[in-house]
Amino acid sequence: MTDAIAYARPKYIGKSIQRLEDSRLLTGRGRYAADFQVPRMAHLAFVRSDQAYARICQIETHDAKELPGVIGIFTASDFAHIPEITAPSKMLNYHPTFCPVLARDFVRYVGEPVVAILAEDRYVGEDAAALIEIEYDPRDVAVTAREASSPNAPKLHDSLGSNTIFSRQFAAGDCVKAISDAVHVVSGQFCMTRKTSVSIEPRAYMAEFEPQKDTLTLHSATNIPGIVRDEIGRLLGLSGNKFRVVTCDVGGSFGGKGSLYPEEIIVCDLALRLERSIKYVADRMEDILSSSQAFEEEVAATLAVDENGHFTALKADILGDIGAYSIYPWTAALEPVQVASFLPGPYRIPHYTATVRGICTPKPPTGPYRGVGRPMAVFALERLVDKAAFTLGLSPTELRRRNLVGTEEFPHRIGSGIIWNRSGFHECLNAAEEAVDLPSIQAEKTSRKDKWVGVGFASYAELTGIGSRIAVAPGMPMNTGAETATIRIDATGAVSAVFAMSSHGQSLETTLAQIVAEELGVLPEDVNVIQGDTSLTPHGTGTYASRSAVIGGGVAVKATRGLLVKVKRVAATLFGVSPSDIQTGDGNIFVPNTNFAINFAEIARLVYSDMSTLPQEARETLEFQATYDPIVGTTTSATHAAVVEIDPETLLIKLRRHFVAEDCGRLINPLVVNGQVHGGVAQGIGAALLEELKFDDAGQPITATLADYLVPTSAEVPDLEVAHIETELPDSPGGFRGMGEGGTIGAPAAIANAVTDALSQLGIEVNSLPITPSKLHALIAAATKQDRQE
Amino acid sequence: MSSKTHITLTINDEPYRADVEPRMLAADFLRDELALTGTHIGCEHGVCGACTILLNGVSVRSCLLLAIQLDDAEVQTVEGLGSTREMHRIQTAFREYHALQCGFCTPGFLMTVQDILNTLPLRNDKEIRDALSGNICRCTGYDHIVKAVRSLVTERDKIANQ
């Protein structure tokens, strides 16, 4: 045995390998939905409502129809055969809304599509749009949730009893008694204003009609291709053999491309009716006005604390402004109910009560946006924690330490019913406290007069990779908890791995390849990850809710292990050894310390093409399909620390440092995890300091361009510091937890606490985000006035 | 609207001739007429920078230009920077540092970086961040992009000082 072959088993999971999708994306060879062009393709443009709430009296389309190059003008009556979009829910006290694909009789937000124009090119389509006249009879509006929730407010949907389209209560223990018994009680009224995703690629759809087979392919900028396929199929009466949804490259979503939209239904319907391919690409104003918006909640909350600084009770009243319609499939309950579900956070709080209401307003529908509910929940709770620390004279980190669920206390059920499993709650807090040199900041606070300096912390926990026991959106009757994958070795020895997920920046082509490569014993670049095509998988929903690493990674492990059993069985027959003697690595299949070795191409040839080497019964197809459902999910946790400095002259708020300590379990690719955290934090910075969709009293949007709706640029984001804490791994295959949203969850609260700390000498608290120089000016002016009056 | 204007130009070192409507945007011309879809359209009002190209060596927003303004010009788009098999150093630096996620803003960043490496000293991260602040990336939080550019600046200055 002198020539014994030894192969080191390479480890790919945990390596910062360079991304496999990058070469096409870096060279302009990616394919996004707007890039698709086919012969005779027609272009869709829309006339959208310029009224917040009005009856449609008349639509005059004559001049537009006459314009050369216009193929057709369509209004609601042309789509009477398509059922209205409605999101069902199992929740009690939930009243569904019904949204026709084009506004019928009434418009309910500025930006709602009213007329669809099909033209030979988009320029002509927009010429035609300018010739269409719509006569409206405006109705009274109640633009804010507070106004719209009053009994006398004008009703947005005549079919509903009021503008309150759902309400729900949470109760655990006896909150009233616990609060009245408490030594310390802190309260606050917190507000997160309306945001929008702003993926740099606006929404885009191309419905490709294929006359050869009378089939339709929707190339969609969506992150939920399976859900879109299933629902458009239902609405238009198409099954999967006639209709598929393909995503190819998608230019970001952050939730904004994670719902079903009228425009994608219309391109499909018209493509089938006219037997030609149709494209629609939103411009930025359309994208801002008609893609799902986010947050916009008010939370009135009270935290009770005993004499030892232990939290005893939490009470909250949550008012969610959900916009004009309940979005499919998540429903309007998604965001506000998640606030209530996650409000108790990573702490022991024995008594909890919360009421949640969702209010219809004449504004664009809200939907998922990175973090969903938790940025608001964490902002409200972490502000209360800091207020309590101030009241008790404890440091914010010490109070957190006293109340975070302890390492020995997992699993821990919080007042809303969510169960936390072991995650690095204390480890993350300790790391963040250590990273921020508190004494030096304290010294700077007292010595510096030219800047107001402050530090803030925020700890949170989230449920990632949610399995089938819990609906991702509360009450949503749809299983989003399982994923199916097929891993196969073809006759050339190439490995392909087919998933129903849909990467839109998450690097799944790389991270899933790393997992398959590691488990099978090949190189990551030899694994072709195929995803985002509904025709290749029986079922799947997409990539959202920090699920793809946990559920996708989990099913990759399961399916690859199933395939490896087959590979070992074949090799064992070939070598005349036991399957347990076989090892794989580096593209080879071998028995250690022997000369028995073969590579994947050779074994594939023996199995598929060679008729004599292996007995017929040993030539099994090298393919394995598996399904994974984590049932509940995994607990990801983190502590963020922010350091800000404020210029007393200009009131410019500068984020000087942002540090994140997080426990997302086993890292698949540290570079990718860092990227996810960084991107999430940047959006959290936007939510904290810049981003706000504003509407005037008539419901007119006044921030409909990127010059008005400000997202962070490289000048506003500091170097981002991330520490990965790996505690006990979750029991999911691979030990992965989700990390797609955490950055956005923790950052706003940490920054709000830091700004409040910087303003402590003025006694000003940041309870509404974003906090901007002009809002700060107003707060200071109000505080000064109050001082004078006192 | 149907009257067209004849233009001749060079794109990525190849000669092109075209008849275009005077109102056609340069970005639409590149994408729809020439199928150079690597130039992406993110906002059509000059804020996001995704459509940045080089016009006679200077970075410009192709959504704020008309196709007829490209007449007689030398244009470079992301397709001219490198190929999937042989990427330009700026592209490999972006890959090394994971300076892109969804990739939609990336072509605009690459064009901007090419320009600023040629024209600005970029002495520190603040200068790099200021120089990049006309391009919006919603995925990366910029940290990795700044690191990639910093490495390119270091390489540039090392060569210059030799």
Side-chain angles (χ1 to χ4, degrees), chain A residues 599-638:
Chain A
N599 65 31
F600 278 81
E602 287 162 346
I603 206 166
R605 191 184 61 78
L606 293 180
V607 165
Y608 295 118
S609 307
D610 186 309
M611 297 183 290
S612 55
T613 305
L614 286 167
Q616 189 272 333
E617 64 276 11
R619 301 200 294 262
E620 47 185 329
T621 305
L622 298 176
E623 177 175 284
F624 197 87
Q625 185 177 71
T627 298
Y628 173 58
D629 176 350
I631 310 294
V632 179
T634 61
T635 305
T636 297
S637 60

Side-chain angles (χ1 to χ4, degrees), chain A residues 83-100:
Chain A
E84 290 155 322
I85 302 168
T86 189
S89 175
K90 293 190 289 191
M91 195 185 291
L92 294 172
N93 302 319
Y94 171 87
H95 306 282
T97 60
F98 297 89
C99 178

Side-chain angles (χ1 to χ4, degrees), chain A residues 653-713:
Chain A
I653 304 164
K654 184 182 164 196
L655 181 61
R656 194 204 285 174
R657 276 189 78 183
H658 198 94
F659 176 88
V660 179
E662 52 77 15
D663 178 6
C664 70
R666 193 175 175 207
L667 304 185
I668 303 169
N669 184 324
L671 259 187
V672 169
V673 175
N674 280 340
Q676 289 296 309
V677 177
H678 292 171
V681 167
Q683 284 175 350
I685 293 169
L689 298 175
L690 295 164
E691 297 180 36
E692 180 173 6
L693 284 170
K694 294 179 192 165
F695 295 81
D696 71 10
D697 293 344
Q700 288 290 337
I702 49 178
T703 50
T705 74
L706 292 184
D708 305 295
Y709 185 83
L710 302 178
V711 300
T713 74

